[in-house]
Amino acid sequence: MESPHSCWQCSSLVVANESAMGVAGSFPENAPVATLWVTGLGCPLCAHNIDQQLKELPGVRAVRVDLGNGKVTAALADSNPPTKDQLARAIVASGFTLTNIQMPESMSTVLCGLCSCESCQCAKSDSRCQPACSCRV
Amino acid sequence: MCQIRFPLPACLLLSGLGAAVNSSHSYGQAPINQDAATQPSPGHATLIEQFRFYSLDLDAGRRDARGQTRDAILLSRLDYGLTKDLSLSLRTPVVFRRRSYDLGDRVERDQGVGDVTALVKWRFYQDDAGPVNTTRISLLGGSEIRTGDAPFTNDAYNPLIGLALTRVSGRHGLNANVQWTFTTAGVPSEGQISPGMSTADVFRYNGAYLYRLAPVEYSADTAGAWYAMLEANGVYETNGDNELLLSPGLMYEATRWALELSLQVPVWRDLDNRPETEYVLVAGLRFSW
């Protein structure tokens, strides 16, 4: 995925945002969240495989696993978050079955809000901004 | 002998590589005394450190060989995920032995490193039927690698194959594991202490039932789980020796580590060569990173 940082304004805002929220560890409540539905989790130690694989992806800040319903929540970075495909591959690599994945709808809005898309410069560098900003690129 | 060929620190270091041949354990709602069809994810590892205390009694065979054996074994096992369905496992036992003989009140002490087992596990079947529910089957293949540290080695490279099945359904877990070791060398059966130390092939047959004691229902706040388990662990050798142990156990499993306790007691045996098991105490820790 291309970085949306070709716009200097966007870049500085995102960096500031990340340092304010800190690194992965506690679950950042305001971060964009991807929700993955997984089966075959088995047990707490088994489910740790998911945690390990997802956290290796650039742009994944924290992971929360609910063994009760198979819901895996990944807090994503505002800048350069992983793609749906990358998240899906990480689940498969961790040895479980992915049944559904829901990417954060707010992602494009957040990016475009940060990037001041009037100029369409950010939209050019990140296709997720295109529908949200109605930019013609 | 370990103290001659390997100094004690080297023994302990070696023990960090794997666990014992006759006590293959796993991780992640896996039984304590057998292999399961679970494995670490690619690029990650699980270390299992286990202390096993064996009380054995030999009252058959040559009179001057009869007596009691106490083995304290530090077993280490390192599993490493190669792909999502393939993992490598190294297992090493460090043995501290005390042997007392019926004749002459004689006592011998010894320590050493038993044969290392290198094992590849290939999971060829997986059916994930629900958030927790799963059925997995793995093929095991590998070899015992001689350390030459008598009497804890049979001084050979012995190939082995096996199969492991793991099924988790809600609070219940079922495991089955069989493993055949083709012994390519060895000493005569008389006087052997552990299975696999003679010229006979070894067939291990195991089953386990696990029950999650707590929590009753998993949730997003679940940080760990308690399990009670009952295992049946059998060892048959082609020299005719056969012994079945029943092994109740308790395990606490967190997200990155687990603590396990087990007691093995014999329920059935037909032994002419190796000593009878009186009991085995097992305590272990599993770490995942």
Side-chain angles (χ1 to χ4, degrees):
Chain A
M1 176 182 296
E2 268 186 50
S3 165
H5 290 173
S6 53
C7 162
W8 68 269
Q9 198 180 358
C10 175
S11 174
S12 58
L13 281 168
V14 168
V15 169
N17 203 21
E18 277 194 348
S19 29
M21 287 189 176
V23 293
S26 58
F27 200 87
E29 295 302 328
N30 297 323
V33 162
T35 306
L36 304 95
W37 299 90
V38 181
T39 56
L41 291 172
C43 61
L45 197 57
C46 315
H48 181 49
N49 281 358
I50 284 192
D51 196 56
Q52 290 171 326
Q53 291 298 317
L54 285 177
K55 279 185 178 171
E56 282 179 1
L57 291 177
V60 173
R61 300 177 57 198
V63 176
R64 194 156 50 190
V65 181
D66 185 342
L67 281 164
N69 54 16
K71 182 180 172 184
V72 178
T73 314
L76 309 181
D78 293 317
S79 68
N80 206 18
T83 63
K84 193 174 180 177
D85 190 45
Q86 284 175 313
L87 291 170
R89 278 204 301 266
I91 295 295
V92 173
S94 60
F96 303 106
T97 302
L98 179 68
T99 57
N100 194 12
I101 183 166
Q102 188 181 344
M103 295 299 283
E105 287 178 12
S106 60
M107 182 63 77
S108 55
T109 311
V110 169
L111 281 171
C112 292
L114 291 172
C115 291
S116 301
C117 276
E118 293 84 359
S119 67
C120 290
Q121 288 304 307
C122 290
K124 281 180 183 173
S125 63
D126 192 326
S127 57
R128 291 167 304 168
C129 282
Q130 292 170 20
C133 295
S134 303
C135 294
R136 285 195 206 88
V137 289
Chain B
M1 313 284 171
C2 190
Q3 57 208 103
I4 296 170
R5 297 188 190 186
F6 306 98
L8 186 58
C11 294
L12 296 174
L13 184 65
L14 271 170
S15 79
L17 293 175
V21 178
N22 57 352
S23 63
S24 47
H25 24 253
S26 191
Y27 58 91
Q29 193 159 342
I32 297 168
N33 303 293
Q34 61 185 277
D35 266 301
T38 53
Q39 64 162 77
S41 63
H44 293 274
T46 301
L47 176 68
I48 302 164
E49 290 290 342
Q50 215 177 48
F51 175 78
R52 303 180 70 90
F53 182 81
Y54 288 80
S55 178
L56 309 168
D57 185 30
L58 181 64
D59 58 5
R62 270 187 7 236
R63 287 191 63 204
D64 61 349
R66 294 178 189 177
Q68 290 207 317
T69 300
R70 303 279 186 269
D71 276 355
I73 303 183
L74 180 61
L75 307 169
S76 300
R77 164 176 166 176
L78 186 69
D79 284 5
Y80 183 77
L82 298 170
T83 71
K84 80 178 188 69
D85 294 319
L86 199 67
S87 65
L88 179 66
S89 180
L90 289 174
R91 309 166 184 196
T92 304
V94 175
V95 187
F96 301 87
R97 174 168 293 165
R98 180 186 184 278
R99 194 168 178 189
S100 58
Y101 295 89
D102 293 344
L103 275 183
D105 253 359
R106 194 158 50 97
V107 173
E108 285 178 359
R109 286 187 169 81
D110 204 352
Q111 65 185 57
V113 181
D115 291 336
V116 174
T117 301
L119 206 64
V120 170
K121 186 187 289 185
W122 172 52
R123 185 169 56 213
F124 64 88
Y125 178 83
Q126 177 178 345
D127 177 23
D128 296 334
V132 174
N133 302 351
T134 187
T135 303
R136 294 159 187 234
I137 307 175
S138 295
L139 191 64
L140 313 171
S143 177
E144 293 176 350
I145 300 165
R146 63 178 290 274
T147 58
D149 197 1
F152 308 108
T153 175
N154 76 346
D155 222 13
Y157 296 89
N158 303 317
L160 57 95
I161 57 167
L163 204 63
L165 177 146
T166 296
R167 180 176 171 83
V168 179
S169 179
R171 298 173 74 179
H172 309 277
L174 284 173
N175 283 269
N177 168 229
V178 290
Q179 189 172 303
W180 189 280
T181 304
F182 302 92
T183 304
T184 58
V187 295
S189 290
E190 198 167 7
Q192 73 166 110
I193 298 296
S194 309
M197 293 295 117
S198 71
T199 52
D201 288 356
V202 183
F203 176 64
R204 301 175 198 283
Y205 52 100
N206 303 292
Y209 169 71
L210 285 83
Y211 180 70
R212 191 176 74 231
L213 298 170
V216 175
E217 297 288 342
Y218 282 130
S219 73
D221 299 323
T222 300
W226 284 97
Y227 298 93
M229 69 182 79
L230 187 63
E231 293 183 67
N233 307 114
V235 183
Y236 167 78
E237 289 182 278
T238 49
N239 60 15
D241 279 2
N242 197 355
E243 189 176 44
L244 181 65
L245 306 177
L246 203 61
S247 318
L250 187 67
M251 179 170 69
Y252 177 77
E253 195 181 277
T255 52
R256 290 165 192 252
W257 60 272
L259 173 69
E260 58 191 27
L261 294 168
S262 175
L263 169 69
Q264 297 187 285
V265 290
V267 289
W268 183 82
R269 65 165 64 104
D270 178 12
L271 299 174
D272 294 319
N273 301 286
R274 67 176 193 257
E276 298 173 349
T277 301
E278 291 180 324
Y279 63 90
V280 184
L281 287 171
V282 186
L285 279 169
R286 310 173 187 185
F287 302 98
S288 174
W289 74 93

